[in-house]
Amino acid sequence: MSLQKRFISVILVLLLAIGMMYAGRMDIKSPEGEEEITAWYSRSDTIYFWYSDPELSDYINKAAVDFGEMNNVHVFPMLITVENYIETVNQASIYNDQMPDVYMLDTSELEMAALTGLATEIKDAAGVCNTSNFSQVALNAVTYDGVLMGYPLYYNTSALVYNKDYLQTWAGEKALAILTEEAEDYVLTDYLANVNAELEEANESDWVTELDEDEIDHYEIDSELVPYVELSDEEKETVLANKTAEVYETALPETLNELLTIANTFNATNGAEGVMTWDVSDIFYNFWMVGDVMNLGGECGDDKSQISLNNEGSRICLNYYQYLNEFFYIEADSVDYEDVVQDFIDGKMLFTIASADVVATLEQAKEDGRIAFEYDFAMLPDINEEIASRSMSTTTAIVVNGYSEKKELANAFAAYLVNDFADELYARSGRPSANIHANAKYSGLAVFDEEYSESVPLPKIIELENIWMELEALFSRIWSGEDVEEEVENLDKTVNLFFL
């Protein structure tokens, strides 16, 4: 008897024993319970689902139950946490040892799975894998050699996190500087009062708070331009509040130069110790600097003819990166991600860079009273006007085992996980769904969804398996002051050796 049949037999025996014990103790019959057990026995088919992320257990188990009941089938989830996950899938498939019919896989391993027959082209009968449900980046992540080889389940990427209170303070300081130091920014006084008086006489109810030039000419107001410093205290307060709101509206940095402007002018007070920190030792939080200019296999990360590391754009971006060290003075050897997030929670920084898990972390800290300020999330700033920032992203997919004899049912369960049941993913696991509709009720994920839609997926090319270690070492040396051009040339030579 196969292990699969033996496992099912054991389950059935246990259920019978439990039923007999229950009936014996209660000394009653339960026709309804008997019908449920009989219905469970009579389900038409069985598939095995493997997953490697323990945080998904609640999500997967619930989905397996619901899908099984709706389709009159058995879905057996199995949590497999081993170092060589794909090799374990392979061994189980060869020896038919409760092999997974469908399983979870990081898309960076998709080429290996496809070449060994452990992943096969999906049969998307439900029609879920399209740009109506997923970003193009998500679909690219599950594409290999021009073919969809999986269903995108969840992602991770990084974004900017900022202290809204500190940014408001900075906006107020900048607004005051503009009003007091720039001669062209004088304030027109009295005209609004004149206009409102005229409207009051005409029995108009809508009061005017600001006018454009045509409206000013229309009312023929005879007023004078008065410097901010000559206004009354009450007028100064109103004018400064309006100017601060105007500055704050565009305060988030869209380029590195704008970020450095804030770094140069922010007065670190009220507990702030600096403008920005992030884990400069981890490539996941650094790659956005070069994501738009380094090509690691094209948009799908599987094209060996599209690899470009040593180019003008890379050198420009890495010089910018090195220059950042002069502003933020982060010790790469002593920083780590958990400390960075804790520093932000403690109100020590205006900005930081964090992955999607920070949404739940900050929400919990807020609930616990450990955060005494307002915060929000934003897109990472572009390098300059010509070069965009693009974060690194990981995508976890559901793939159908090429060795399975239950491919149709396996495809149906995979589609159910990433579409019909996707709304439950974040609440039950803390993992943001790759489905563009699923995270709508979690406002904190909106920016991460947007970053993901413009991100660079991990490449699938087997030869680039260790590229991230090489890039991490490159960034570390450049942060420490090594020559950018020399370091990029050496990286290019190292990567070329991967393909010999």
Side-chain angles (χ1 to χ4, degrees), residues 122-124 128-129 142 149-153 396-398 400 411 414-415 418:
I122 66 170
K123 304 300 181 185
D124 186 19
V128 302
C129 281
V142 297
M149 302 292 288
Y151 298 80
L153 180 61
T396 299
I398 307 298
V400 174
N411 271 275
V418 305

Side-chain angles (χ1 to χ4, degrees), residues 80-100:
I80 307 295
T81 55
V82 293
E83 185 174 349
N84 298 316
Y85 178 74
I86 191 69
E87 176 58 27
T88 305
V89 173
N90 184 53
Q91 290 297 315
S93 300
I94 292 174
Y95 297 107
N96 196 31
D97 184 13
Q98 295 182 4
M99 75 169 185

Side-chain angles (χ1 to χ4, degrees), residues 160-166 248 344-345 349-350 358-367 371-378 443-444 448:
L160 193 68
V161 188
Y162 67 98
N163 184 315
K164 295 178 71 174
D165 293 1
Y166 287 160
Y248 184 79
F344 183 81
I345 290 173
M349 291 292 155
L350 169 54
V358 80
V359 175
T361 300
L362 296 184
E363 284 178 354
Q364 187 63 55
K366 187 80 169 179
E367 185 178 327
I371 289 183
F373 56 85
E374 296 299 318
Y375 63 86
D376 209 341
F377 311 95
S443 58
F448 289 94

Side-chain angles (χ1 to χ4, degrees), residues 165-472:
D165 293 1
Y166 287 160
L167 192 62
Q168 181 75 30
T169 298
W170 175 83
E173 293 169 351
K174 182 178 179 181
L176 182 61
I178 291 173
L179 291 170
T180 57
E181 297 174 11
E182 297 185 11
E184 64 272 22
D185 281 284
Y186 287 94
V187 180
L188 187 62
T189 63
D190 296 328
Y191 71 90
L192 289 181
N194 292 341
V195 170
N196 284 320
E198 183 177 333
L199 289 173
E200 188 175 13
E201 290 178 6
N203 294 319
E204 298 284 350
S205 59
D206 294 331
W207 280 67
V208 178
T209 56
E210 60 182 42
L211 297 172
D212 60 29
E213 292 182 2
D214 291 338
E215 288 175 315
I216 292 173
D217 292 339
H218 170 73
Y219 285 104
E220 298 180 354
I221 300 166
D222 183 16
S223 301
E224 60 179 336
L225 290 173
V226 179
Y228 174 79
V229 294
E230 296 181 14
L231 297 174
S232 68
D233 289 345
E234 185 178 351
E235 288 172 326
K236 283 181 180 178
E237 184 178 347
T238 300
V239 168
L240 179 57
N242 291 337
K243 194 66 177 178
T244 299
E246 179 185 324
V247 173
Y248 184 79
E249 189 175 343
T250 58
L252 284 173
E254 295 184 358
T255 65
L256 285 181
N257 282 340
E258 292 178 8
L259 175 63
L260 297 182
T261 296
I262 295 176
N264 269 329
T265 56
F266 179 67
N267 184 19
T269 56
N270 300 323
E273 296 180 1
V275 175
M276 184 172 182
T277 188
W278 73 99
D279 187 356
V280 296
S281 66
D282 192 331
I283 187 61
F284 194 77
Y285 307 104
N286 281 330
F287 188 76
W288 62 278
M289 292 286 304
V290 296
D292 195 45
V293 291
M294 280 191 175
N295 195 339
L296 296 171
E299 290 301 312
C300 294
D302 62 350
D303 188 347
K304 297 178 183 180
S305 69
Q306 295 191 55
I307 298 176
S308 175
L309 304 173
N310 184 12
N311 54 61
E312 182 181 2
S314 297
R315 293 188 290 273
I316 290 173
C317 293
L318 289 169
N319 273 304
Y320 266 111
Y321 179 75
Q322 191 171 70
Y323 186 58
L324 292 179
N325 197 10
E326 298 183 20
F327 281 81
F328 302 121
Y329 311 108
I330 303 170
E331 293 292 337
D333 294 337
S334 60
V335 70
D336 66 53
Y337 180 69
E338 287 74 19
D339 289 342
V340 164
V341 173
Q342 188 59 53
D343 283 348
F344 183 81
I345 290 173
D346 293 340
K348 295 180 180 180
M349 291 292 155
L350 169 54
F351 295 112
T352 192
I353 300 172
S355 43
D357 60 273
V358 80
V359 175
T361 300
L362 296 184
E363 284 178 354
Q364 187 63 55
K366 187 80 169 179
E367 185 178 327
D368 295 343
R370 292 181 288 123
I371 289 183
F373 56 85
E374 296 299 318
Y375 63 86
D376 209 341
F377 311 95
M379 300 287 284
L380 287 162
D382 291 333
I383 311 308
N384 55 33
E385 299 295 339
E386 289 76 36
I387 302 176
S389 64
R390 291 187 68 187
S391 300
M392 176 192 296
S393 67
T394 60
T395 302
T396 299
I398 307 298
V399 300
V400 174
N401 193 339
Y403 291 92
S404 171
E405 297 179 355
K406 313 282 182 64
K407 292 185 180 65
E408 183 177 347
L409 184 55
N411 271 275
F413 182 60
Y416 179 76
L417 284 174
V418 305
N419 192 59
D420 302 74
F421 206 61
D423 288 350
E424 298 286 330
L425 179 58
Y426 185 71
R428 291 179 177 273
S429 71
R431 304 295 188 246
S433 173
N435 190 306
I436 61 178
H437 308 294
N439 302 324
K441 60 183 176 182
Y442 307 106
S443 58
L445 292 177
V447 168
F448 289 94
D449 285 348
E450 188 175 358
E451 277 282 359
Y452 177 58
S453 70
E454 299 179 10
S455 66
V456 180
L458 290 175
K460 308 174 182 72
I461 299 170
I462 295 173
E463 289 85 351
L464 294 182
E465 181 182 6
N466 296 319
I467 186 62
W468 306 116
M469 290 187 292
E470 297 294 337
L471 282 170
E472 200 162 90

